[in-house]
Amino acid sequence: MKEIDFLKEVVSNANEISKKEFNVNTKGGENDLVTNLDLEIEKFIIEKIKKEYPNYDIVSEEFNNNNQISNNCFIIDPIDGTINFANNLPLWGIQIACVKDGKTVASIISLPHINEFYYADETGAYLNDKKIKVNEVPIKNTLYSIDGNNNLPCMQRMRKYSSNRRNFGGVCVSMAFVASGRIHGAVFRSDKPWDYEPGLFICKMAGASICNKNGFHAAAMNKEFLDILEMETAKKENISNIFVLHSLNGDTLEMWGKDIKTIFGEKEIDVYMPEFPIRKESSYEKFKETLEFYIKNGQLNSNSIVVAHSIGNAYFIRFCKELNFIPKAYIAVAPGAVYEYPTTRNDYIVEVKKQAYLKQEALDYAKNNLKNKYCLYSDEDDKNIEKFTRFIYDTKSKGIYLKYYNHFDGYHRIYKIPELNEIINNLL
């Protein structure tokens, strides 16, 4: 069976699954959603692939998102635009691409609720079995979409060419609409291949000019408009990003982490807040697996500024030592949990903290290898001062004492840390 025929059959069956009743859950640290049908559709597609193409790799959003695109693989997004789907907005789709011998050879985007079935192979791009192509218009009349991270500044810069922009809430919709000539350009400013690869191939086979590089995956009606989109919306190379790692036993950074994301997102700095299991499930192994994913995708790198809170510090230092990883800067917020001290508590936090006590060789690694180190602490609890000063000495960090920190609420939440924002801004 040809790849495109196989994909058409599989996705047509997956469309039927999408009609079932669904329930919605949250995932990740970025207000993302997932439904039971995301999982069911992806499992169904994977089972079919493994039966028909057992030697092909799988790259998919829910179950295989640590995998990289290989010479022979399928790239799957079971529901692109899950937030639209969960809210009964019909702009979402099932999409999949097949890579063979290092090249994408077949791709499908199905938009079931508007009865549109896009596909492409070496013969061209099609919508409901009719061949399609891009539509060229004067630049001032272009209609385009920008999806991904920190898009508002890009949209503002594009106004001098055309202020006609749309956000559909799903990259599959944007790419499909470029291929069918409804809009004239689509940009995706993130690096998840299941979001962009199926659509880019369909656009290419519909005659679009495309660009596929880190932080900028785009299709446009012609090369002229693609160059404009790249100039105004592509991420600048070698710009630092920020990782905020929470305490793994609660939501103590909910407020100030989002403050960082808001402030620096407006400056087009990517801010990642990886979601880890909390409380008893807060294992170092899961923490390591999560950060390794960001390393493999190139997001966590030697140019990253890492901010960790409480137990997150112990796990991060251990992670750095085991992988010999050195970020651009490391900022520890209240890192007292790296030490074993007597406690009167008798709950899940005690069990989590036991996993966090660091051996001396890990602290020595931080002291001798990590650079641009800071330790932020306050007088919230005078008994913690000894831990913080010890951490500053053991890691050779610069201590930042937050003098006026009397605004913790009853749940130990800090609302903003302006001193932290100032440090990050100087490091950038």
Side-chain angles (χ1 to χ4, degrees):
M1 182 183 296
K2 290 183 62 176
E3 290 81 9
I4 191 62
D5 294 327
F6 169 73
L7 292 184
K8 288 165 73 174
E9 179 180 328
V10 169
V11 175
S12 294
N13 290 329
N15 283 345
E16 296 303 310
I17 299 175
S18 72
K19 298 176 183 178
K20 294 182 179 180
E21 291 186 8
F22 62 88
N23 52 64
V24 182
N25 296 296
T26 58
K27 68 170 184 176
E30 316 241 352
N31 298 317
D32 204 356
L33 298 181
V34 65
T35 73
N36 60 305
L37 296 187
D38 288 81
L39 305 178
E40 186 174 342
I41 290 171
E42 186 168 317
K43 284 181 179 178
F44 169 78
I45 294 173
I46 290 172
E47 287 175 2
K48 294 296 184 182
I49 291 171
K50 287 183 174 179
K51 183 177 179 180
E52 190 74 21
Y53 294 87
N55 297 323
Y56 275 57
D57 298 319
I58 304 291
V59 181
S60 59
E61 181 171 17
E62 306 302 339
F63 297 113
N64 299 277
N65 57 21
N66 287 333
N67 293 354
Q68 301 296 301
I69 296 177
S70 63
N71 283 337
N72 295 286
C73 68
F74 287 87
I75 304 168
I76 307 164
D77 194 340
I79 297 180
D80 182 45
T82 300
I83 293 176
N84 286 352
F85 176 80
N87 288 281
N88 295 310
L89 186 66
L91 298 178
W92 57 271
I94 300 170
Q95 58 179 359
I96 181 170
C98 175
V99 177
K100 182 178 181 180
D101 296 329
K103 294 182 178 180
T104 302
V105 297
S107 176
I108 286 185
I109 293 175
S110 175
L111 309 180
H113 271 217
I114 60 174
N115 298 313
E116 295 193 349
F117 196 90
Y118 295 80
Y119 63 91
D121 61 7
E122 72 279 2
T123 67
Y126 302 84
L127 166 56
N128 295 342
D129 294 326
K130 293 183 179 180
K131 207 161 190 177
I132 53 175
K133 64 178 182 177
V134 297
N135 178 29
E136 293 193 47
V137 299
I139 298 295
K140 65 180 181 180
N141 295 336
T142 52
L143 180 62
Y144 59 90
S145 67
I146 305 175
D147 293 285
N149 301 320
N150 307 325
N151 298 328
L152 186 57
C154 304
M155 294 177 178
Q156 293 299 326
R157 290 195 297 270
M158 284 295 297
R159 288 179 66 87
K160 58 182 173 284
Y161 303 100
S162 169
S163 59
N164 302 320
R165 58 182 182 269
R166 298 292 182 269
N167 286 89
F168 301 107
V171 185
C172 66
V173 177
S174 301
M175 294 291 182
F177 286 178
V178 170
S180 56
R182 293 171 181 161
I183 67 174
H184 311 101
V187 174
F188 182 53
R189 287 165 44 87
S190 189
D191 295 301
K192 300 170 183 175
W194 47 84
D195 282 321
Y196 64 78
E197 187 59 33
L200 279 184
F201 182 69
I202 292 175
C203 288
K204 177 183 177 181
M205 299 313 296
S209 296
I210 67 169
C211 183
N212 197 356
K213 69 178 188 180
N214 184 41
F216 180 76
H217 309 278
M221 62 181 185
N222 55 35
K223 184 66 164 54
E224 180 187 6
F225 192 44
L226 180 67
D227 288 344
I228 290 172
L229 289 170
E230 182 173 3
M231 179 173 62
E232 301 295 351
T233 73
K235 294 182 180 180
K236 304 299 184 289
E237 298 293 335
N238 300 317
I239 298 296
S240 295
N241 57 28
I242 303 167
F243 276 77
V244 185
L245 313 179
H246 67 56
S247 64
L248 293 99
N249 65 10
D251 61 352
T252 51
L253 62 65
E254 182 72 9
M255 305 299 180
W256 57 266
K258 287 187 175 180
D259 185 49
I260 291 174
K261 191 173 181 67
T262 298
I263 289 174
F264 293 99
E266 291 176 355
K267 299 180 180 182
E268 288 200 79
I269 304 299
D270 284 336
V271 180
Y272 298 94
M273 297 174 64
E275 181 70 12
F276 307 104
I278 62 173
R279 302 184 174 92
K280 290 182 180 180
E281 298 79 18
S282 301
S283 71
Y284 169 73
E285 288 71 26
K286 185 62 179 177
F287 177 92
K288 181 180 178 182
E289 176 187 333
T290 301
L291 289 196
E292 281 183 324
F293 169 70
Y294 286 99
I295 284 183
K296 288 178 181 177
N297 282 315
Q299 294 147 332
L300 180 58
N301 54 57
S302 60
N303 215 22
S304 298
I305 298 169
V306 177
V307 184
H309 178 249
S310 186
I311 292 168
N313 288 287
Y315 283 8
F316 181 66
I317 290 174
R318 181 177 169 187
F319 175 84
C320 289
K321 181 179 184 300
E322 289 186 6
L323 277 72
N324 194 27
F325 173 71
I326 301 174
K328 177 178 180 177
Y330 165 46
I331 305 171
V333 180
V338 303
Y339 300 109
E340 184 173 7
Y341 273 72
T343 180
T344 57
R345 299 184 67 151
N346 186 27
D347 58 10
Y348 67 87
I349 291 179
V350 177
E351 295 302 315
V352 175
K353 287 178 70 174
K354 285 180 181 178
Q355 302 179 61
Y357 303 140
L358 283 180
K359 296 180 179 179
Q360 188 60 45
E361 54 261 35
L363 290 166
D364 289 342
Y365 180 88
K367 181 177 183 179
N368 298 324
N369 295 279
L370 301 188
K371 51 192 177 181
N372 295 323
K373 292 164 290 190
Y374 299 83
C375 174
L376 275 63
Y377 64 103
S378 73
D379 57 1
E380 181 205 5
D381 184 348
D382 291 338
K383 292 181 291 186
N384 281 325
I385 296 296
E386 181 184 351
K387 299 180 185 180
F388 301 145
T389 54
R390 180 179 172 185
F391 181 86
I392 292 167
Y393 174 80
D394 282 347
T395 60
K396 207 174 180 179
S397 302
K398 181 178 180 181
I400 307 293
Y401 180 67
L402 309 176
K403 293 182 181 179
Y404 304 109
Y405 266 66
N406 58 357
H407 63 289
F408 290 80
D409 66 14
Y411 297 95
H412 185 67
R413 286 183 292 216
I414 315 169
Y415 292 96
K416 292 184 180 181
I417 309 180
E419 296 89 340
L420 173 58
N421 295 339
E422 183 178 353
I423 291 170
I424 294 173
N425 195 55
N426 290 335
L427 287 167
L428 289 169

